[in-house]
Amino acid sequence: MLVMSRFRVDAGERDAFRAELEAAHGLLAQRSGYVGGTIGRNLDDPTLWVLTTRWEHVGAYRRALSSYDVKLGAVPLLSRALDEPSAYEVVEPGTVLNVESTRSLG
């Protein structure tokens, strides 16, 4: 699975934000199921940043977010992400895609 978290950061916060984002990425990278990831900044709008991570499956990503170290050192920063869907399934030739359905709460 692929996770893309986008952030809007004022120019004055750039250096501090970058350091925090690199630290958060480092914590995520230590978790089981992490496959890879990158940090990027938009070429046309340098106030837009992205953290992209790849995971073996959604369970690995959710377990990573619930770990103590990530809760303490990465989740506060991740909560600053733009409010938009961030988890994607990787589409490869011949794969069966997830089926959208409403989940029952009862």
Side-chain angles (χ1 to χ4, degrees), residues 20-30 34 36-39 51-53 74 77:
E20 289 177 45
L21 191 58
E22 289 172 347
H25 180 227
L27 288 170
L28 290 167
Q30 295 172 19
Y34 174 85
T38 57
I39 293 171
L51 171 61
T52 304
T53 55
L77 177 93

Side-chain angles (χ1 to χ4, degrees), residues 62-102:
R62 289 180 177 158
R63 279 190 296 280
L65 289 180
S66 67
S67 74
Y68 178 78
D69 291 342
V70 171
K71 278 184 182 178
L72 189 62
V75 169
L77 177 93
L78 295 174
S79 69
R80 293 180 52 188
L82 298 177
D83 187 15
E84 61 188 22
S86 62
Y88 296 84
E89 61 184 315
V90 177
V91 178
E92 296 175 344
T95 58
V96 176
L97 299 179
N98 191 25
V99 177
E100 179 184 344
S101 62
T102 305

